[in-house]
Amino acid sequence: MCDAPKDEEPVDIVLESGLDVSGRLEDELGHPIPHQKVSLRNNLGADTHSGRGGEIFERDDTTDAQGRFHFHRVYPKLFHLALQAQDDDSLCWIKTRVRQRWVDGVHDAIWPHDDDTNLSVVIVATLRLPYHYFGKVIDEQGRPVAGATVRIQASIHGPGQRGDFADNHAHYSQITTGKDGCYDVPSAGPYVNWFEITAPGFKDNSYMEDGEISGFDRYEEEPCAPGRYDFTLKRK
């Protein structure tokens, strides 16, 4: 049996009213996206390796026929939203409205205001990969390299945003260069962490290490934005 503490101090418990989060999931034309799972997770200081709050604070809702989702009695501090596509479809989050303000891209970390009681969110998503990275792969003589595989790993969160586990372990895309050595690889994320270019008879070229990229050499300082990136491969 534990001894009673020598100095008893009062404990104050402060209760706050829960917040309602009302949302809508829609496509680029404003049509509702039904039957898709949206998750909400509070971060109460219980960080995990995934970079979000403890899993015990996560809950899900499924959008109705009008694309609507709703969460009741949300703890009125920082929370994160996430899309979890059903039926093996890959939904790409491309635009967000929080209250009345639109933001391009993913805006999934939301701080409630002190006077918020019902916070509204609109998530715009698409089934196609919306971002493109393109360019040309050549050899040391400037000749196009056909059949080279260009592989990328992307992040959906940009500089200054707190990413999640998937930003460094998912969102892979790849494509093969044509006869002219050109490629155009679509991506789920607008920020690419690394490129990897391989072709038979050539040394592997990885942007993570010492790959030669025309006009770009800032790996880990700033992710690559959508656009053109040319590569030169050296023969073995």
Side-chain angles (χ1 to χ4, degrees):
M1 183 173 180
C2 297
D3 295 333
K6 294 181 180 179
D7 297 320
E8 295 185 1
E9 296 183 0
V11 176
D12 294 329
I13 298 176
V14 180
L15 301 180
E16 295 188 64
S17 298
L19 173 72
D20 274 14
V21 177
S22 301
R24 175 179 161 92
L25 178 62
E26 59 184 42
D27 64 18
E28 299 159 284
L29 299 177
H31 300 145
I33 303 179
H35 316 306
Q36 300 296 329
K37 185 186 293 185
V38 180
S39 66
L40 183 148
R41 183 180 294 176
N42 280 110
N43 187 338
L44 304 182
D47 284 349
T48 68
H49 73 282
S50 64
R52 293 288 190 254
E55 281 75 3
I56 59 172
F57 301 115
E58 183 174 5
R59 43 191 162 144
D60 302 322
D61 192 23
T62 301
T63 57
D64 64 14
Q66 300 303 315
R68 295 172 300 198
F69 58 90
H70 201 113
F71 295 97
H72 298 281
R73 296 185 292 277
V74 175
Y75 189 74
K77 292 294 185 286
L78 172 66
F79 64 86
H80 296 85
L81 296 174
L83 296 181
Q84 300 181 30
Q86 306 297 302
D87 302 324
D88 296 326
D89 287 333
S90 179
L91 278 177
C92 296
W93 186 332
I94 58 174
K95 197 172 181 180
T96 320
R97 192 191 77 189
V98 179
R99 302 177 187 88
Q100 299 302 316
R101 179 172 175 262
W102 281 102
V103 178
D104 287 330
V106 175
H107 184 68
D108 53 1
I110 300 174
W111 280 97
H113 293 169
D114 291 340
D115 58 352
D116 281 333
T117 57
N118 193 326
L119 195 154
S120 63
V121 179
V122 176
I123 297 173
V124 180
T126 177
L127 287 174
R128 63 181 180 84
L129 297 177
Y131 305 103
H132 285 264
Y133 296 80
F134 56 91
K136 191 171 186 178
V137 179
I138 60 174
D139 63 15
E140 294 175 281
Q141 284 71 48
R143 295 172 297 198
V145 178
T149 299
V150 179
R151 187 169 183 252
I152 65 175
Q153 192 274 319
S155 167
I156 64 173
H157 296 90
Q161 291 181 303
R162 185 177 184 185
D164 59 16
F165 185 77
D167 278 339
N168 291 314
H169 298 82
H171 312 308
Y172 295 97
S173 300
Q174 69 179 49
I175 203 165
T176 303
T177 58
K179 293 181 180 180
D180 57 0
C182 293
Y183 73 92
D184 185 339
V185 56
S187 171
Y191 312 96
V192 159
N193 296 320
W194 52 259
F195 294 81
E196 182 182 68
I197 300 89
T198 57
F202 291 88
K203 296 179 180 179
D204 293 350
N205 190 350
S206 174
Y207 182 44
M208 290 182 66
E209 299 167 355
D210 57 358
E212 295 179 14
I213 299 181
S214 176
F216 200 93
D217 59 0
R218 296 180 294 167
Y219 175 68
E220 286 188 341
E221 292 183 13
E222 185 175 330
C224 303
R228 179 174 184 126
Y229 298 93
D230 296 323
F231 300 87
T232 299
L233 295 183
K234 297 180 181 179
R235 293 190 178 275
K236 292 180 178 179

